[in-house]
Amino acid sequence: RTTKVLADAKADLATARIAANAARELFEKTSESSIVAPPGSIVWSVFADNGQAVDIKTRIVEWIDCRALLVQVPISDIEVPLLHRGMIANVLVEGEAMPRKGTVLMTRGTAATLGSNDLAAIAKDMTADSGHAILSVESTPKDAKDCPVGRTAHADFTDFDTVDLIRAWLRL
């Protein structure tokens, strides 16, 4: 009987060691990790210091990927229905000689608001009576070295002209 008790105890010890090793491996995997931002990104905010303990799903860092550029363009409410997703615009970024190709992602009228989770900045010429269009702008290889975040930009929409604006204004 003692031999059986000893064998059962050894089996329990082996099971406990396996569980302890699995728990140690899980602890090592979840206790430390490297955070790697895409090349050419700008670290925007750091929420935890190196070596600081955090809970799962806690925000640690935010960065801006300079290869995925967005531009917010102030537009009048009259222009909002003239713009559609996929429409092309020529976007001139401050400090650059040549315009970039931009594509309309979405528009919002004056009643819509943007929050801190929508964009990094609100355009300077935004007023209470203007809507806005969000454009995706093509990036260049130079953006990885000299990210244009924070620069002003101007967009010209190529798919409508002044006559279209007057018709929309007069609701023709």
Side-chain angles (χ1 to χ4, degrees):
R1 196 171 100 176
T2 304
T3 305
K4 182 178 178 332
V5 170
L6 179 60
D8 289 344
K10 286 181 178 180
D12 289 344
L13 178 61
T15 303
R17 284 185 175 152
I18 291 170
N21 285 338
R24 186 178 309 111
E25 287 177 15
L26 179 62
F27 173 75
E28 288 174 5
K29 285 181 182 177
T30 60
S31 65
E32 187 174 313
S33 181
S34 296
I35 306 297
V36 181
S41 297
I42 294 175
V43 175
W44 195 252
S45 299
V46 177
F47 301 104
D49 292 326
N50 190 18
Q52 179 181 348
V54 294
D55 290 329
I56 293 174
K57 295 188 178 182
T58 300
R59 283 194 328 187
I60 297 171
V61 66
E62 288 179 339
W63 61 79
I64 297 171
D65 184 351
C66 295
R67 298 170 302 162
L69 300 176
L70 297 179
V71 171
Q72 175 189 1
V73 180
I75 57 175
S76 71
D77 269 347
I78 295 168
E79 292 175 287
V80 171
L82 296 175
L83 299 177
H84 55 82
R85 186 180 183 101
M87 184 179 275
I88 303 300
N90 294 318
V91 179
L92 185 59
V93 177
E94 175 185 21
E96 296 182 2
M98 297 299 297
R100 300 179 186 211
K101 178 184 168 193
T103 307
V104 175
L105 293 178
M106 64 178 293
T107 59
R108 294 185 183 188
T110 57
T113 58
L114 291 174
S116 62
N117 291 332
D118 295 319
L119 291 174
I122 303 297
K124 282 194 280 189
D125 16 336
M126 290 296 292
T127 61
D129 60 346
S130 65
H132 42 267
I134 309 300
L135 307 177
S136 171
V137 180
E138 65 184 5
S139 63
T140 66
K142 184 181 171 199
D143 292 339
K145 292 183 286 183
D146 185 26
C147 192
V149 168
R151 294 189 204 160
T152 59
H154 174 76
D156 285 320
F157 298 98
T158 59
D159 291 345
F160 68 87
D161 57 19
T162 307
V163 174
D164 294 322
L165 279 174
I166 292 170
R167 284 185 179 151
W169 186 69
L170 296 173
R171 300 196 188 337
L172 295 177

